[in-house]
Amino acid sequence: MVLLRKIHRIGRSDLLLKVEGKRVLITGASTGIGACTAELFASCGANVGLHYNKSEIEVKNVLQRIEDSGGKAIILKRDLLNTSSYSELVDSFIEAFGGIDVLINNAGGVYGFKHFLELDEDSWDNTFTLNVKAPFFISKEVFSFMKEHEGGKIINITSISAKYGGSVNSMHYGASKAAMDALTIGFAKAGAKYNILVNSVRAGFIDTPFHKKIGRESIEERVKLIPLNRAGKPIDVARMVLFLASDAGDYITGEIFTVAGGD
Ligand SMILES: NC(=O)c1ccc[n+]([C@@H]2O[C@H](COP(=O)([O-])OP(=O)(O)OC[C@H]3O[C@@H](n4cnc5c(N)ncnc54)[C@H](OP(=O)(O)O)[C@@H]3O)[C@@H](O)[C@H]2O)c1
């Protein structure tokens, strides 16, 4: 029997997570996990699209830090509750960089962080629009492009709440993140034959502006539930995203990776 396998000789470069020159669109890159991920990718030589909606000063600061360290990025403003913005966002990014290699669906949040018995329909709808509808339609646009080119990667930032159903105040958020994990699996199955690799990174409790925005009163009680006994940092999540986007992730698709301190 003839062995067709080529032997891969291991060298130091196999240790590196390479994303140099990759064109990476990150939604919600103004603060928290998205901002940190953007800076990490840019520091590794990726060309980054910094999408944001309201946090203009913060996103300009991210751009400044990237440019000061010799990186390349552009800013793209869109409200993802506005469904007409999805294709505009992808088109603007592709026009600026001539293509797209990696999409990171990171923008997300909770509308109506309150007991589910008091939850109103608008909060449910907005949470699902931001966390499910937007990543679905943005991924669909990107998928069409990648299918016609050399493939690419899509990484969805979901949440540990998809595993335990959220708290009484965030059941709808947990459900939306579970839906996003289902999209990961669906897009991964459809993308495999085009070399489009799709994975989720399920974040645990991460110290970002997210908690202040939703009006969470105390973080101490939540942190006590984490086996590693601390809140995560944005970089904890960003490193996993970098791993998947780099060539280290070239044989991984349709998976859900939890970064949650054992939660
Ligand atoms: N922090 C955690 O404990 C945690 C845990 C699990 C999962 N996650 C997920 O991680 C992702 C990042 O969250 P984070 O913790 O980094 O929170 P964050 O600092 O609040 O960042 C959220 C990002 O989403 C953007 N965004 C929110 N609403 C938007 C809208 N309507 N249109 C466009 N962009 C919008 C924000 O942009 P602007 O501020 O510019 O409007 C911001 O850049 C989210 O998907 C979140 O669900 C977070």
Side-chain angles (χ1 to χ4, degrees), residues 27-35 51-56 58-59 78-82 105-111 130-131 157-161 173 177 180 201-211 213 216 234 237:
T27 66
S30 47
T31 59
I33 295 167
H51 158 265
Y52 82 107
N53 182 35
K54 289 187 180 152
S55 304
E56 189 161 348
E58 289 84 347
V59 80
R78 295 284 184 288
D79 179 359
L80 298 185
L81 291 186
N82 175 0
N105 282 311
N106 165 76
V110 193
Y111 291 89
L130 179 60
N131 297 340
I157 307 302
T158 66
S159 165
I160 192 74
S161 64
Y173 171 74
K177 291 296 189 179
M180 206 174 170
V201 176
R202 260 189 190 172
F205 187 88
I206 312 296
D207 188 5
T208 71
F210 179 93
H211 303 286
K213 281 181 199 167
R216 193 192 287 277
V237 180

Side-chain angles (χ1 to χ4, degrees), residues 28-215:
S30 47
T31 59
I33 295 167
C36 178
T37 305
E39 289 187 48
L40 182 64
F41 273 71
S43 73
C44 297
N47 300 322
V48 182
L50 304 168
H51 158 265
Y52 82 107
N53 182 35
K54 289 187 180 152
S55 304
E56 189 161 348
I57 295 171
E58 289 84 347
V59 80
K60 283 184 174 163
N61 288 337
V62 175
L63 178 68
Q64 189 70 54
R65 286 194 294 273
I66 288 176
E67 289 181 340
D68 287 351
S69 14
K72 193 169 169 200
I74 55 164
I75 289 177
L76 300 154
K77 176 178 162 70
R78 295 284 184 288
D79 179 359
L80 298 185
L81 291 186
N82 175 0
T83 54
S84 69
S85 70
Y86 306 152
S87 56
E88 289 167 13
L89 173 65
V90 175
D91 290 349
S92 313
F93 179 85
I94 290 176
E95 204 182 308
F97 286 122
I100 181 163
D101 302 299
V102 181
L103 166 67
I104 302 168
N105 282 311
N106 165 76
V110 193
Y111 291 89
F113 182 73
K114 57 170 89 150
H115 197 284
F116 68 88
L117 292 176
E118 288 160 25
L119 189 73
D120 57 276
E121 208 176 327
D122 282 350
S123 298
W124 172 277
D125 287 346
N126 286 338
T127 301
F128 268 72
T129 298
L130 179 60
N131 297 340
V132 189
K133 193 171 183 181
F136 172 80
F137 282 96
I138 293 168
S139 298
K140 174 174 160 298
E141 296 289 326
V142 167
F143 191 98
S144 300
F145 180 90
M146 289 178 171
K147 182 171 170 283
E148 299 305 322
H149 293 79
E150 286 166 14
K153 290 180 176 166
I154 300 175
I155 298 164
N156 293 325
I157 307 302
T158 66
S159 165
I160 192 74
S161 64
K163 182 169 105 179
Y164 60 74
S167 67
V168 286
N169 291 341
S170 61
M171 198 195 289
H172 59 312
Y173 171 74
S176 72
K177 291 296 189 179
M180 206 174 170
D181 280 337
L183 292 180
T184 292
I185 295 162
F187 273 105
K189 275 198 292 184
K193 64 174 174 249
Y194 305 110
N195 195 35
I196 302 171
L197 280 55
V198 190
N199 293 287
S200 281
V201 176
R202 260 189 190 172
F205 187 88
I206 312 296
D207 188 5
T208 71
F210 179 93
H211 303 286
K212 201 172 169 197
K213 281 181 199 167
I214 66 176

